Amino acid sequence: TSAQIGVTGLAVMGRNLARNFARNGYAVAVHNRTASRTRALLEEFGDEGEFIGAETAAEFVAALERPRRLVIMVKAGDPTDAVIEEFAPLLEDGDVIIDGGNAHFADTRRRERELRERGIHFVGTGISGGEEGALHGPSIMPGGSAESYASLGPLLEKISAKAADGAPCVTHVGPDGAGHFVKMVHNGIEYADMQLIAEAYQLLRDVAGYSPAQIAEVFRTWNTGRLDSYLIEITAEVLSHVDAATGKPFVDVVADQAEQKGTGRWTVQLALELGVPVSGIAEAVFARSLSGHTALREASRGLAGPTAQPLSGAEADAFADQVEQALYASKIVSYTQGFHEIAAGSAEYDWNIDLGAVAAIWRGGCIIRAAFLDRIRAAYDARPDLPSLLADETFATEIAEAQHDWRAVLGAAISQGVPTPGFAAALAYYDSLRADRLPAALTQGQRDYFGAHTYRRTDREGSFHTLWSEDRSEVQA
Ligand code: NDP
């Protein structure tokens, strides 16, 4: 027999992805650099479906039906190139290599180009959902050629998560690096979502005066409404967990230094290059890095500032309701910024990405999965050329209703000294976009003063310069 798909790299992700294919009725060839992992998979899970174990690259390739579909799930970076170099010489015209690792999209573009010249399709694929998702259905974001998707799509649709309406959480995102680009922005949005939730928690703790257990209940309630999402759900779980060793709330015994593996940073780096303001995502990345600066924090601990005076009773509960409004409004802004970055990447690299389809495949399987994404899908389906999510009438109306509470929450946070960089950045973005006039006019004046960088006028076409060090008359530049 021959296998319809192969997976090489059988650590947590690859092993579970291979099992997912097998459980869905596909014959799966499995391979790993260290053969003991392959044998362990066959021993433990061999009865879940049809596996063909391969000890060598040649055996692995020989086990695959043509055109071959070969999934690489190894450590991102140099190992991916090493594995490609090991297999590519054994492949034939029309075969498909799928990289499911967390590659940088620029690497994916390079690999796709190099392999295309050798007659091999390369499909850089974002996969979200972690270990559990890989096994039970992830959200899958494949790039690469349309031809490769024709051969690969049906298998991915089978193993992917399904949204509430039954639609598979996979779509052909676009050519070459489009899939990994979208996965990168997914992770950036994930950082922002997590930061906003963390700020909401801190406000409920310091300003509303709630305990972690009470806050867990608040999140459980929010999870039945418009904030319904995987991240809100697990937040309630983490907050209600009690540390067995000390009997204290788990959240109080964990070191408050957040780590990161780099995809949030990539999102911000790319946004800087594309000129897209993703201030909320950037603040989320910076908040994690600030938390890790222990010496800096130690040296700053004595700095002056107010101590939060917790509310109580009905006042505390009313404040909690306002925090829900602030969180929701800030979340809309994060997604607005993330989708703007996808639109900008799509324009820059000619990917022609369907933003509504991206929102649709994030409805299930991935870390940011949420009821909310169905509404983003609907907004883009109704108006594919929507310039910004904030221009959607439904979202604009919701923010209009939330903005009073959003401002009140930020007012309380600022006067009580509770840091809320994510909420604040989101509101500043909103107020900047809706402003009639921005102080950018003054910035232009300064640039012209010190560097003769010129400016445009509101009342006439052309570029102008003021002779600042002479008689301050204006000349056409
Ligand atoms: P790891 O990232 O820990 O990678 C381990 C695997 O890579 C092993 O199979 C290992 O083989 C193989 N490997 C490493 N170097 C080489 C090499 N030079 N040549 C051949 N094989 C090599 O595994 P994960 O399962 O955690 O992740 C796999 C990929 O999926 C990564 O790119 C990761 O970023 C991505 N990913 C991970 C998610 C997660 O939640 N963990 C979620 C989404 C994507 P050996 O056994 O021989 O050492």
Side-chain angles (χ1 to χ4, degrees), residues 9-14 32-34 37 73-76 79 82-83 100-102 127-128 130-131 183 261:
L10 302 175
V12 283
M13 288 295 288
N32 191 69
R33 175 179 61 180
T34 311
R37 275 201 209 264
M73 279 311 280
V74 303
K75 205 177 253 324
V83 173
N102 262 333
I127 299 184
S128 178
E131 239 182 287
K183 170 67 186 337
K261 293 213 292 200

Side-chain angles (χ1 to χ4, degrees), residues 72-233:
I72 300 178
M73 279 311 280
V74 303
K75 205 177 253 324
D78 294 340
T80 305
D81 285 310
V83 173
I84 290 172
E85 264 330 298
E86 186 181 1
F87 287 99
L90 308 174
L91 299 180
E92 294 168 86
D93 256 23
D95 286 351
V96 186
I97 294 181
I98 301 109
D99 173 21
N102 262 333
H104 192 286
F105 81 97
D107 287 332
T108 301
R109 281 167 61 78
R110 168 180 57 80
R111 290 168 183 146
E112 195 275 340
R113 192 175 56 242
E114 289 168 0
L115 287 165
R116 186 167 5 108
E117 284 162 10
R118 296 157 78 171
I120 298 166
H121 294 284
F122 183 74
V123 180
T125 303
I127 299 184
S128 178
E131 239 182 287
E132 282 298 296
L135 183 59
H136 299 292
S139 173
I140 311 179
M141 296 152 250
S145 66
E147 194 185 337
S148 60
Y149 193 76
S151 138
L152 186 64
L155 285 81
L156 297 183
E157 284 167 20
K158 200 84 180 272
I159 67 150
S160 72
K162 306 296 176 287
D165 63 4
C169 292
V170 56
T171 189
H172 180 225
V173 176
D176 59 80
H180 273 137
F181 186 93
V182 162
K183 170 67 186 337
M184 173 189 80
V185 177
H186 164 283
N187 285 27
I189 292 174
E190 171 187 314
Y191 275 56
D193 260 346
M194 291 171 70
Q195 175 63 23
L196 295 174
I197 289 172
E199 291 176 18
Y201 153 75
Q202 196 69 50
L203 287 163
L204 292 174
R205 190 104 194 237
D206 293 350
V207 181
Y210 289 168
S211 69
Q214 285 175 303
I215 301 171
E217 281 314 310
V218 171
F219 277 101
R220 279 198 184 102
T221 310
W222 290 355
N223 200 40
T224 62
R226 60 190 180 172
L227 284 168
D228 173 7
S229 63
Y230 173 70
L231 282 170
I232 295 280
E233 178 191 329

Side-chain angles (χ1 to χ4, degrees), residues 69 73 160 163 187 203 219 233 266 281 353 370 395 405 427:
R69 289 176 285 250
M73 279 311 280
S160 72
N187 285 27
L203 287 163
F219 277 101
E233 178 191 329
W266 290 350
I281 299 171
I353 295 176
F395 287 127
D405 288 340
L427 183 58

